[in-house]
């Protein structure tokens, strides 16, 4: 079954007041007889901060079964890999695939310096996207891993195809 994309229809800036509205709209989609495992929630470029994203994760805990959640191009400012791990852990309990790319995250190259976070984040295998799908492979397997995951997210969530 091809996924159905929910994409913040009013292009609202998402904060603590508007997040419950988004979650309610997702619940309404699911009650219309749609298989929740086919819903892709595209909240990219919605102005989400780290605090708002954590609130969204809490709201979604009761709304499991979303197929993919696109949080790319937001204002998620994670100053440490521990923040990224906490966010990924919360969301990947509720969705199959998560895209956090193009936010204000710690540089991917620095992940090697935090072995605990690196192990946890890589433990999500291809379910977590932290890199950009349009980057070319650089030859560093630790960085290329995230580019491959970004491409996998776009393939699974939106049906994109890549050469090579």
């Amino acid at each position: 079954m091809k996924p159905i994309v929910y994409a913040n229809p009013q292009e609202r800036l998402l904060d603590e007041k508007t997040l419950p509205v988004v979650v309610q709209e997702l619940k309404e989609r699911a009650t219309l007889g749609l298989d929740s495992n086919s819903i892709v929630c595209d909240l990219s470029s919605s102005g989400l901060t780290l605090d708002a994203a954590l609130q969204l994760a809490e709201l979604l805990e009761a709304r499991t079964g979303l197929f993919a959640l696109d949080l790319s191009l937001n204002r998620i400012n994670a100053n440490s890999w521990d923040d990224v791990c906490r966010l990924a852990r919360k969301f990947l309990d509720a969705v199959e695939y998560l895209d956090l790319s193009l936010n204000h995250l710690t540089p991917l190259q620095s992940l090697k310096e935090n072995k605990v976070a690196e192990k946890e984040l890589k433990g999500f295998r291809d379910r977590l996207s932290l890199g950009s799908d349009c980057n070319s492979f650089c030859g560093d397997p630790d960085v290329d891993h995230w580019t491959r995951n970004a491409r996998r997210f776009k393939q699974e969530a939106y049906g994109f195809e890549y050469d090579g």
Side-chain angles (χ1 to χ4, degrees):
M1 172 182 272
K2 187 174 179 174
I4 295 138
V5 178
Y6 166 89
N8 192 8
Q10 282 78 36
E11 295 184 12
R12 316 170 253 259
L13 187 65
L14 297 180
D15 58 21
E16 64 277 348
K17 293 177 184 163
T18 55
L19 285 173
V21 175
V22 167
V23 172
Q24 182 59 38
E25 289 172 355
L26 284 167
K27 286 180 181 178
E28 289 170 6
R29 285 267 167 115
T31 59
L32 291 174
L34 300 174
D35 177 8
S36 62
N37 289 324
S38 68
I39 297 174
V40 174
C41 183
D42 180 359
L43 298 179
S44 63
S45 303
S46 297
L48 277 172
T49 63
L50 178 61
D51 289 340
L54 288 168
Q55 181 187 358
L56 177 62
E58 289 176 22
L59 290 170
L60 286 178
E61 282 179 349
R63 168 76 197 104
T64 58
L66 287 177
F67 182 66
L69 178 61
D70 187 344
L71 297 180
S72 63
L73 291 164
N74 275 287
R75 297 178 186 160
I76 299 171
N77 188 3
N79 293 318
S80 73
W81 285 111
D82 295 335
D83 288 340
V84 177
C85 288
R86 183 168 46 122
L87 197 58
R89 198 178 313 119
K90 284 183 170 280
F91 277 117
L92 289 170
D93 283 341
V95 300
E96 276 303 305
Y97 291 95
L98 174 65
D99 187 358
L100 292 173
S101 65
L102 303 173
N103 279 286
H104 304 282
L105 307 179
T106 305
L108 283 173
Q109 291 83 348
S110 72
L111 186 55
K112 294 179 201 179
E113 299 163 13
N114 187 333
K115 295 297 182 191
V116 173
E118 181 181 38
K119 182 178 180 183
E120 180 174 2
L121 293 172
K122 284 190 173 181
F124 294 119
R125 297 175 307 282
D126 62 353
R127 297 177 58 211
L128 175 63
S129 170
L130 296 175
S132 173
D133 66 310
C134 58
N135 285 351
S136 54
F137 294 114
C138 68
D140 180 340
D142 294 319
V143 175
D144 288 348
H145 168 84
W146 300 109
T147 302
R148 273 191 295 284
N149 282 11
R151 291 179 181 188
R152 175 68 185 255
F153 178 88
K154 297 292 196 229
Q155 287 171 329
E156 294 294 331
Y158 302 116
F160 287 12
E161 303 228 357
Y162 297 89
D163 293 331

